[in-house]
């Protein structure tokens, strides 16, 4: 028997790297191990100390996989007078939020930022009415790029404001969901592939994030 941050070895039942393991849970007197290939392995009658070691090691492995997220800034000035914000910076800030035909050929905002804007728009638009600004045709200023991303998130085609984009054609989504096995699903953040979870819809219902009623389980149930 060997249990460390690289492998889980419990002969004669299993000996594999943690990267091949999707999730763990107990059922009756068995430890259930779900593998990436969909296999389900039951290991009976393990001592409580061994179970505690296995689960604590699994948590450390999961924490290692999830790297700290990098904060993203639009490069806009902080609205804080103590940081030396003058009237010129305030004008620049306000200008970035308004249509500016002089910037019609501005470079594209990174897709990662537009995706975040779109995801936030879609998330909050389900709970409240959001007034989406209309982009100007053939303009690539910051205002119009953001407006287009927000419209796409709400299912509006900015090229034809009377047309509605089908749900399956929406570019922006909160989670990528894939079936990995019977009642087992992988849930991945499309904007950060390092953020991924495994959801098991059997008994007991669970997610590797550790929460009993989390957004990942809800996303799978609603998919």
């Amino acid at each position: 028997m060997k249990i460390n941050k690289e492998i889980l070895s419990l002969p004669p039942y299993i000996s594999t790297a943690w990267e091949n393991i999707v999730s763990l849970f107990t059922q009756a007197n068995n430890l259930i191990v779900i593998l990436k290939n969909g296999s389900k392995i039951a290991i009976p009658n393990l001592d409580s100390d061994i179970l505690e070691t296995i689960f604590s090691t699994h948590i450390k492995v999961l924490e290692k996989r999830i790297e700290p997220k990098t904060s993203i800034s639009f490069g806009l000035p902080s609205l804080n007078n103590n940081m030396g914000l003058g009237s010129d910076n305030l004008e620049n800030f306000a200008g970035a939020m308004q249509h500016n035909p002089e910037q019609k050929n501005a470079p594209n905002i990174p897709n990662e930022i537009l995706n975040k804007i779109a995801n936030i728009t879609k998330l909050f638009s389900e709970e409240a009415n959001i007034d989406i600004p209309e982009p100007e045709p053939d303009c690539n200023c910051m205002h119009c790029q953001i407006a287009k991303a927000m419209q796409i998130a709400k299912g509006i085609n900015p090229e034809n404001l009377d047309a509605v984009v089908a749900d399956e054609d929406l570019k922006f989504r909160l989670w990528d969901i894939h079936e990995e096995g019977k009642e087992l699903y992988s849930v991945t953040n499309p904007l950060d592939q390092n953020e991924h979870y495994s959801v098991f819809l059997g008994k007991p219902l669970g997610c590797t994030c550790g929460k009993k009623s989390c957004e990942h389980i809800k996303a799978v149930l609603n998919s």
Side-chain angles (χ1 to χ4, degrees):
M1 180 175 65
K2 189 171 185 179
I3 305 167
N4 57 37
K5 292 182 180 180
E6 282 74 40
I7 65 171
L8 173 64
S9 179
L10 298 170
Y13 301 101
I14 186 173
S15 184
T16 188
W18 281 109
E19 63 185 19
N20 297 322
I21 296 174
V22 174
S23 63
L24 307 171
F25 60 91
T26 57
Q27 192 174 60
N29 292 324
N30 296 322
L31 171 67
I32 307 299
V33 181
I34 305 296
L35 301 180
K36 281 185 176 181
N37 62 9
S39 299
K40 181 178 178 181
I41 299 172
I43 305 171
N45 303 321
L46 291 174
D47 292 339
S48 59
D49 291 344
I50 296 177
L51 284 173
E52 183 177 350
T53 299
I54 292 172
F55 278 99
S56 62
T57 303
H58 189 216
I59 290 173
K60 292 177 182 178
V61 171
L62 292 176
E63 289 176 342
K64 186 178 179 181
R65 290 178 185 173
I66 302 175
E67 299 177 356
K69 297 180 180 178
T70 303
S71 61
I72 296 177
S73 171
F74 283 99
L76 299 176
S78 172
L79 299 179
N80 186 337
N81 289 331
N82 294 329
M83 296 181 68
L85 179 63
S87 59
D88 290 342
N89 283 335
L90 280 173
E91 290 177 1
N92 291 336
F93 179 83
M97 296 298 101
Q98 299 175 3
H99 169 60
N100 186 348
E102 295 181 359
Q103 296 179 356
K104 64 176 298 183
N105 296 318
N108 293 333
I109 296 174
N111 285 335
E112 184 178 2
I113 294 176
L114 292 178
N115 284 350
K116 287 185 179 293
I117 293 171
N119 278 329
I120 292 172
T121 301
K122 186 176 181 181
L123 178 64
F124 284 97
S125 65
E126 295 176 355
E127 301 179 0
N129 291 325
I130 298 179
D131 186 16
I132 304 296
E134 291 189 10
E136 296 295 329
D138 302 320
C139 181
N140 209 47
C141 72
M142 180 179 289
H143 169 274
C144 290
Q145 290 187 61
I146 292 174
K148 289 176 184 177
M150 294 175 71
Q151 287 190 339
I152 291 174
K154 290 203 67 178
I156 302 172
N157 185 346
E159 302 300 328
N160 181 0
L161 296 181
D162 294 327
V164 176
V165 181
D167 288 342
E168 60 269 19
D169 293 331
L170 290 177
K171 179 180 179 181
F172 305 107
R173 59 205 179 279
L174 295 178
W175 300 103
D176 282 334
I177 299 172
H178 299 286
E179 186 173 0
E180 299 290 344
K182 185 178 180 181
E183 299 182 313
L184 179 66
Y185 298 83
S186 65
V187 180
T188 306
N189 184 344
L191 305 178
D192 183 359
Q193 296 298 312
N194 289 321
E195 184 181 2
H196 52 84
Y197 307 91
S198 294
V199 170
F200 183 65
L201 296 184
K203 293 183 179 180
L205 180 71
C207 176
T208 52
C209 74
K211 298 179 181 178
K212 293 183 178 180
S213 180
C214 63
E215 61 180 305
H216 318 117
I217 293 176
K218 293 178 181 178
V220 173
L221 292 174
N222 293 329
S223 64

